[in-house]
């Protein structure tokens, strides 16, 4: 599961099980299918986002220091380029 949260107050902005994460050098490309009306708040707050990938045994926290977030309206796809990742064990 992927959760996109507002960094201030940790309000949940979007949650999905359909996403892909690819590591590219020291960055991670996080992509997910979305509808534009479902991510307006995410785009509005793009400089204040935390992303969490939750797995059975670990949770990873991602963020983009310089708000590299794009929405492809033609394909209804959101792409976030994160430059930070921290993994936490889940007990």
């Amino acid at each position: 599961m992927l959760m996109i949260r507002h960094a201030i107050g940790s309000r949940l902005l979007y949650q999905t099980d359909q996403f892909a994460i690819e590591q590219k050098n020291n960055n991670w490309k996080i992509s997910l299918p979305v509808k534009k009306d479902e991510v307006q708040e995410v785009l509005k707050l793009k400089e204040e986002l935390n992303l969490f990938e939750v797995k059975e045994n670990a949770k990873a926290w991602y963020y983009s220091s310089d708000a590299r977030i794009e929405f492809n309206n033609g394909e209804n796809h959101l792409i976030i380029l994160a430059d930070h990742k921290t993994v936490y064990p889940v007990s």
Side-chain angles (χ1 to χ4, degrees):
M1 168 180 32
L2 180 73
M3 294 183 292
I4 302 175
R5 295 187 170 274
H6 188 212
I8 302 167
S10 196
R11 180 170 51 105
L12 182 63
L13 302 172
Y14 194 80
Q15 181 175 318
T16 186
D17 288 321
Q18 297 180 357
F19 64 96
I21 300 176
E22 300 174 52
Q23 184 171 359
K24 295 189 173 205
N25 300 321
N26 292 327
N27 295 291
W28 294 266
K29 178 182 175 183
I30 303 167
S31 58
L32 51 144
V34 295
K35 295 179 183 169
K36 187 173 185 177
D37 61 333
E38 296 175 333
V39 293
Q40 287 304 306
E41 195 75 2
V42 171
L43 296 172
K44 185 173 116 181
L45 299 170
K46 68 181 185 177
E47 295 181 12
E48 303 170 351
L49 299 178
N50 287 320
L51 293 92
F52 297 95
E53 177 189 23
V54 180
K55 295 182 179 179
E56 186 175 326
N57 298 321
K59 178 167 67 171
W61 168 41
Y62 298 88
Y63 68 84
S64 178
S65 297
D66 50 3
R68 293 183 292 167
I69 298 171
E70 299 175 8
F71 177 71
N72 182 322
N73 197 31
E75 295 181 15
N76 288 331
H77 217 79
L78 185 68
I79 297 174
I80 301 167
L81 295 175
D83 57 358
H84 178 84
K85 176 184 179 182
T86 302
V87 177
Y88 302 93
V90 175
S91 36

